[in-house]
Amino acid sequence: MGADFRKHLKTTGTLLSLLLLFAFLMGWFLKTPSGRNYPDREPVYFWHMWTSGWKKIVEDICDDFNRSQDRYEVIPLSIPANVADSKFLLATAGGDPPDCMAQWNQVVPQFADSRLIMPLDEFMSSAEYQFFLDHAFPIAQKIAYFEGRHYCVPLALDVRACYFRLDHLRDAGLLPDSAPARVTTKAEYQEMLKYMPRTMEEMVSWGWKLNRFDDKGRLARLGFIPQWFRMMAPVFGGGFYDWETGELTLNTPENLRALEYITEQNKVLGFDRLLRFRSSLTGKHGADWPFAVGKRSITIDGQWRVAQLEKYTPDLPYMTAPFPPPREGGRENAGWVHGNFMIIPVGAANPEGAWAFIKFWIGFDDPEDAAVHYTRAGWLPPLPQIAKSEVFTRYVEKHPQFETFINLLDSPNMEPTPPVPYQLLLFDMIKRADESASRGNITPKQALAILEEDIQAEIRRREAVNHEPE
């Protein structure tokens, strides 16, 4: 054995030792919660994926819960999002899961199908479960649903709508002189709603009047263009799931019409021109959000942008409104919705404590107190009792644009990703169909045919390994 080979072995061994030590320490740090403040109480181990400012908000909710009663102590642990699911699966399979976990990945049907999480009626009383069925917003119940039961409690809902730059609209002559200069009150919000587009076609025509190009014909500002097939399909009267029959509805005339409309608008503006413009946009989450810096005049985004705009650009004149449907065959107040939700794993040591914490968070017994959490974060609640509370009402009065999202919560036309056990795969395939068609790589008809074919292949594969009933 030569000296070089021995040196190589030594170096390799050292690296392996360091990697094992790193893995051990990471595992130890991830598993070990912070110190106990109430060692005499029953612990409730709570995992989540929030970081930075959001982590502080979540920890404040835990502290508020711990101060509100004297039986349980919630012990939060922030898990890096990229390893959260694998850590949860390993912990649950190993018989040592947390008592509850906040999720935003589309895993509820998969976890429920694999018997990894508990349905709500196994830890709620019958009266509590009936209250959830009677009062939770329809979309909150849809997100929790899988094969006739509900498996998670939505903590906060994410709803998308349209954001309008009022200064851009005014410069383009799209608002009358009598329209409010800014929207700072409920009366101004209601007044401005009268001037918003009534149809998708009208909004697209606004987009053309708002587009700006440089002297080389490159797009410098995007007025508006329909995007996100998963969002537009319900707006065009389609969608991906029949809640009556439990069947997927992928390759339908309504969905085809939505994808064709998106693709046609992209084609008219220019696939390459749009691609270059989008590639030039770097900011997403702060003061450099393209809408905030004037790169977009009308855009699609979620309710959390209201708090973000207040923080970074408080003087920006803007308005929010639901998607207008197409002139024919569309649906009002439609779109795609997701959210954050709490799951209780099978094998949790303290599901009663976990449910007590969840009840506190979502205001099951005290909507006014819970409204403080929701307004602190700019979250949309799963229960209308919070949305109607005094605290939340004051928040909406201060942020009148938030009312758009509150009103959408009660719409039967808001749709989540279908509750199938391969939900995440389906979501990715819908996005792939969208991207392939809207970039002009294939036709919308081909994209939907491929989507249907790929999903049927996945169903056959699952049947072959006994994952699906015959």
Side-chain angles (χ1 to χ4, degrees), residues 164 166 169-170 174-180 188-198 202 206 319:
F164 299 82
L166 297 183
L169 302 189
R170 198 173 302 280
L174 296 170
L175 293 177
D177 292 340
S178 59
E188 290 168 344
Y189 172 81
Q190 294 294 341
E191 175 70 14
M192 189 61 77
L193 268 183
K194 300 176 184 175
Y195 307 119
M196 295 295 102
R198 290 289 177 269
E202 183 183 3
W206 277 28
M319 176 63 179

Side-chain angles (χ1 to χ4, degrees), residues 120 123-124 132 144 151-155 340-342 355 358 362:
L120 304 190
F123 55 84
M124 287 181 175
F132 176 81
Y151 283 86
C152 71
V153 178
L155 301 173
N340 307 309
F341 37 86
M342 195 80 91
W355 172 230
I358 296 169
I362 65 171

Side-chain angles (χ1 to χ4, degrees), residues 28 182 196 246 444:
W28 187 84
R182 300 183 61 202
M196 295 295 102

Side-chain angles (χ1 to χ4, degrees), residues 159-174:
V159 172
R160 272 76 173 175
C162 301
Y163 282 75
F164 299 82
R165 287 275 306 230
L166 297 183
D167 50 342
H168 292 186
L169 302 189
R170 198 173 302 280
D171 290 345
L174 296 170

Side-chain angles (χ1 to χ4, degrees), residues 277-319:
F277 175 76
R278 286 168 174 154
S279 298
S280 70
L281 305 177
T282 55
K284 290 184 178 179
H285 304 296
D288 54 353
W289 179 35
F291 178 81
V293 299
K295 287 287 188 178
R296 286 177 177 265
S297 300
I298 305 173
T299 193
I300 301 168
D301 222 304
Q303 79 284 342
W304 57 87
R305 296 294 189 182
V306 172
Q308 181 179 317
L309 289 172
E310 180 190 34
K311 180 177 180 180
Y312 294 112
T313 53
D315 296 327
L316 186 75
Y318 76 99
M319 176 63 179

Side-chain angles (χ1 to χ4, degrees), residues 101 153 161 208 231 316 323 342 344 441:
M101 180 176 182
V153 178
W208 279 101
M231 186 76 68
L316 186 75
F323 293 102
M342 195 80 91
I344 296 182
N441 298 333

Side-chain angles (χ1 to χ4, degrees), residues 18 32 49 71-72 136 139 162 193 215 222 253 276 325 392 433:
L18 289 172
T32 303
M49 298 184 285
R71 179 175 176 180
Y72 302 111
I139 191 60
C162 301
L193 268 183
D215 54 4
L222 179 60
R276 281 196 295 272
F392 209 92

